[in-house]
Amino acid sequence: EAGVVQSPRYKIIEKKQPVAFWCNPISGHNTLYWYRQNLGQGPELLIRYENEEAVDDSQLPKDRFSAERLKGVDSTLKIQPAELGDSAVYLCASSSWTSGDHEQYFGPGTRLTVT
Amino acid sequence: GQQVMQIPQYQHVQEGEDFTTYCNSSTTLSNIQWYKQRPGGHPVFLIQLVKSGEVKKQKRLTFQFGEAKKNSSLHITATQTTDVGTYFCAIGAGSYQLTFGKGTKLSVIP
């Protein structure tokens, strides 16, 4: 079974530039999460999707961040414009309602550096 | 939102020594999950605890959920270099939303 796929793995941009991250969850997983992980910290939830519906985006900085999950499969997270403080690893995770433990499967992440 | 405190932040042990990390919440939890993140890697699910006083074992790892469901611990017996990484607890508000602790970074000296 393929895991969660994310691209790109690394991205370096100048501040004020836009950037987008892509995630392909595990096949059949209806729940998709975007997290941000700063160095030395735990993952912080940005947004959670149930199929194509964003059911929790309270932590998403909506002035510059946007996300979509068209057709309830792949998802894209966008930052426009990026700020220096956005440098972090952006993790995508997915889970399934049918999984007894509701464990989340994480992708490898995209390491963003804003200069 | 829910807050969780994880201690210690760092732990250096000699290979073969035991290791314990603790996770504490001020509120009663519906469930708690534990994840391991290797250096440069992504979090990987270890276990979920749901019941009060629950104890689960995975080889050298022992997970406990407190009787009041406000705290949890992960204990590793006789650490090995393969145990190196950061261990996160994640508390559940319902089954699908998790708040992660800051993690305990384990270093094992061979």
Side-chain angles (χ1 to χ4, degrees):
Chain A
E1 176 182 88
V4 176
V5 179
Q6 290 188 248
S7 68
R9 293 293 311 277
Y10 305 91
K11 190 73 176 178
I12 301 174
I13 60 171
E14 294 183 345
K15 62 181 180 182
K16 301 184 181 179
Q17 294 300 306
V19 64
F21 314 123
W22 176 81
C23 173
N24 180 238
I26 292 174
S27 178
H29 281 195
N30 28 42
T31 307
L32 183 147
Y33 312 79
W34 281 103
Y35 289 91
R36 176 169 59 191
Q37 186 174 26
N38 292 306
L39 191 63
Q41 303 292 316
E44 297 175 333
L45 181 69
L46 292 173
I47 190 167
R48 174 169 67 99
Y49 281 93
E50 297 291 347
N51 298 308
E52 64 274 7
E53 183 181 358
V55 295
D56 183 0
D57 62 355
S58 57
Q59 301 302 312
L60 190 72
K62 297 180 184 64
D63 57 336
R64 297 183 299 108
F65 286 65
S66 64
E68 61 182 13
R69 192 185 183 195
L70 300 175
K71 302 180 181 179
V73 181
D74 296 1
S75 178
T76 302
L77 178 68
K78 297 179 181 178
I79 308 175
Q80 182 171 10
E83 298 179 351
L84 294 176
D86 296 330
S87 294
V89 176
Y90 291 82
L91 294 162
C92 178
S94 68
S95 66
S96 170
W97 293 341
T98 60
S99 170
D101 277 348
H102 309 297
E103 61 190 274
Q104 295 186 18
Y105 295 82
F106 283 82
T110 297
R111 182 176 297 275
L112 174 67
T113 302
V114 182
T115 62
Chain B
Q2 289 189 299
Q3 300 286 329
V4 56
M5 178 171 291
Q6 198 171 346
I7 54 171
Q9 190 173 359
Y10 302 96
Q11 185 80 58
H12 306 276
V13 300
Q14 202 77 34
E15 188 173 18
E17 292 181 339
D18 292 356
F19 159 78
T20 304
T21 174
Y22 301 90
C23 193
N24 298 298
S25 171
S26 58
T27 59
T28 302
L29 306 171
S30 59
N31 64 80
I32 191 164
Q33 295 185 1
W34 287 92
Y35 288 77
K36 176 184 178 181
Q37 186 171 23
R38 295 181 184 274
H42 55 275
V44 175
F45 175 82
L46 294 176
I47 206 98
Q48 173 168 280
L49 304 172
V50 179
K51 299 176 183 176
S52 168
E54 189 170 15
V55 178
K56 288 188 177 180
K57 293 189 176 184
Q58 291 179 350
K59 297 181 180 178
R60 295 179 294 103
L61 277 61
T62 302
F63 304 84
Q64 289 190 319
F65 204 5
E67 293 289 343
K69 298 183 69 174
K70 289 184 177 182
N71 55 70
S72 180
S73 65
L74 158 58
H75 179 83
I76 302 178
T77 303
T79 55
Q80 300 175 359
T81 54
T82 53
D83 296 324
V84 164
T86 301
Y87 292 84
F88 293 98
C89 64
I91 61 177
S95 297
Y96 306 107
Q97 187 162 324
L98 297 176
T99 299
F100 283 78
K102 292 187 176 182
T104 296
K105 187 174 182 179
L106 172 64
S107 299
V108 179
I109 305 165

